[in-house]
Amino acid sequence: MKDGRMRRWLRDWRYVAVEFAASVVSLVLFCVGMLLLPLMIITGGVLILPQAVRVLHAWSDLNRRRIGAFRGVDLPPISRPLPPGATIDDRLRFAFSRSTGRDALWLAVHALPVFSVSLLAAVLPVAAVNALAATYYWQFAPADDPVGSPYPVTSWELAATMPLVAVAYALISWWLMPAVARLVSWTSARLLATPEKSRLAARVDALTLSRAAALDAHGAELRRIERDLHDGAQNRLVNVVMMLGIAERALETDPSGVLEPLRRAQDAATDALAGLRRTVHDIYPPILDELGLEGALASLAGRSAVPCTIEAADVGRVPAAVESASYFVVAEALTNVNKYSGAAHATVQVSRESERLIITVEDDGAGGAVERPGGGLAGIRRRVEAFEGTTELTSPVGGPTTLRAELPCGS
């Protein structure tokens, strides 16, 4: 129990010490900003203000990650796009946005109150050690510059009281350090957290993009099914009708020759049935129901022309729509590997981290893969974005090519 409290105390002290060091940087930035802002306004240098604001945003985002890690909460960086070629009005709106105001307020609080409070809390343990050491080294200090805190030690009698002072400092620090760590982190988290309205707006934007991606993916899927039916099963069914027509005429004119057209009609019907099965399979592969995602991916690897290794242990079952999307992501990625990469080997890794399914397809081919509109990689991105997932392609010339997709898989 005591070991646990001591570890928590040390963690709090380390955080306060780091917070003090960070507040020194914030103090410097605050002072520089207070000096430069009037000069930029007076001299017309307000047009370069966005560059200074970028520094503020970068520093606040760095502290978001650190404070979020300490408190165990998510403080994501705020998206603040400034498109190339932005007008003066765009630059001014960017520089004087609400997020900039919140970051500036946090900087002022971090540079002044947090600096003072964290300095006081961080030096208390050092003061306790110094008071204990002063019991011995006071005698070596110059007579006109005695050491000691909170009072100078000039005799052995006063030196004998220093252990009590050290204990007092230690007790104050033991009680004060966790409170300061929680107060400082809570204050910073409140100032740096994204406002509820902004979070809702960002969520609406994400849902709008997800809906658009889902509609695009759905439209592309419908066009693919229509194309497969038109070019495949429909043509084969037309052949069946033709063969049956030939057999009907043969039956009327030459009954002995009807067997061959019937056999051809049967073969054409078999081909049409196989085409329909492939189309249905592409809508939702039955193998997913039979073997699950791991077994379905193993089947894909077995059919790949390029030798492929599947690493998908302990993934378990995920929602059917996510399984289907994951299957087609891997299928399309392996199709690209087989057609264009010139690779000797490919690896598919599927893992589950909390509520996200992570798919990585890597090959040792020539690299240089580029996502093109209407291409297979663009189709993968559309399918993943329909689930509010992310896709990342890394393919330097010379290889290797790595495709990474993340899909939410919460039930």
Side-chain angles (χ1 to χ4, degrees), residues 91-283:
R91 291 176 177 272
L92 291 177
R93 279 195 294 269
F94 171 78
F96 295 101
S97 63
R98 287 189 177 183
S99 61
T100 300
R102 292 181 67 88
D103 284 358
L105 176 61
W106 166 81
L107 185 71
V109 172
H110 198 245
L112 300 174
V114 170
F115 172 82
S116 303
V117 172
S118 60
L119 173 62
L120 173 63
V123 300
L124 279 175
V126 180
V129 175
N130 179 67
L132 192 62
T135 305
Y136 172 74
Y137 74 79
W138 72 272
Q139 56 188 315
F140 303 107
D144 58 347
D145 188 19
V147 298
S149 174
Y151 48 82
V153 179
T154 56
S155 65
W156 284 108
E157 288 78 7
L158 291 175
T161 64
M162 284 293 101
L164 297 178
V165 173
V167 170
Y169 279 148
L171 290 176
I172 294 173
S173 176
W174 181 261
W175 171 83
L176 188 62
M177 191 66 64
V180 169
R182 300 300 181 274
L183 175 63
V184 170
S185 64
W186 179 84
T187 303
S188 296
R190 288 279 301 196
L191 293 175
L192 292 175
T194 306
E196 184 65 24
K197 289 184 179 179
S198 298
R199 286 198 295 268
L200 289 175
R203 181 60 179 162
V204 169
D205 291 342
L207 289 175
T208 301
L209 293 175
S210 173
R211 179 177 180 273
L215 290 175
D216 288 343
H218 180 67
E221 190 70 10
L222 287 179
R223 289 191 295 272
R224 182 190 63 79
I225 294 172
E226 181 182 5
R227 185 173 59 251
D228 289 346
L229 291 175
H230 181 274
D231 297 341
Q234 178 175 301
N235 288 340
R236 293 184 178 91
L237 289 174
V238 170
N239 287 335
V240 172
V241 173
M242 290 177 58
M243 297 300 176
L244 290 176
I246 293 174
E248 182 182 6
R249 287 194 296 271
L251 184 61
E252 294 174 353
T253 58
D254 184 14
S256 62
V258 74
L259 185 59
E260 185 62 26
L262 286 176
R263 286 175 177 171
R264 291 180 181 177
Q266 184 181 18
D267 292 340
T270 302
D271 290 342
L273 182 60
L276 286 173
R277 284 175 176 169
R278 282 194 296 271
T279 301
V280 173
H281 177 276
D282 289 342
I283 295 173

Side-chain angles (χ1 to χ4, degrees), residues 38-80:
L39 293 176
M40 286 190 292
I41 295 176
I42 294 172
T43 61
V46 71
L47 296 181
I48 65 171
L49 186 59
Q51 307 306 322
V53 171
R54 286 183 186 275
V55 175
L56 170 63
H57 289 335
W59 177 239
S60 62
D61 286 344
L62 182 63
N63 282 271
R64 280 185 176 88
R65 290 191 291 270
R66 180 172 52 80
I67 295 168
F70 175 77
R71 293 184 61 84
V73 297
D74 185 23
L75 294 176
I78 299 176
S79 176
R80 312 173 183 89

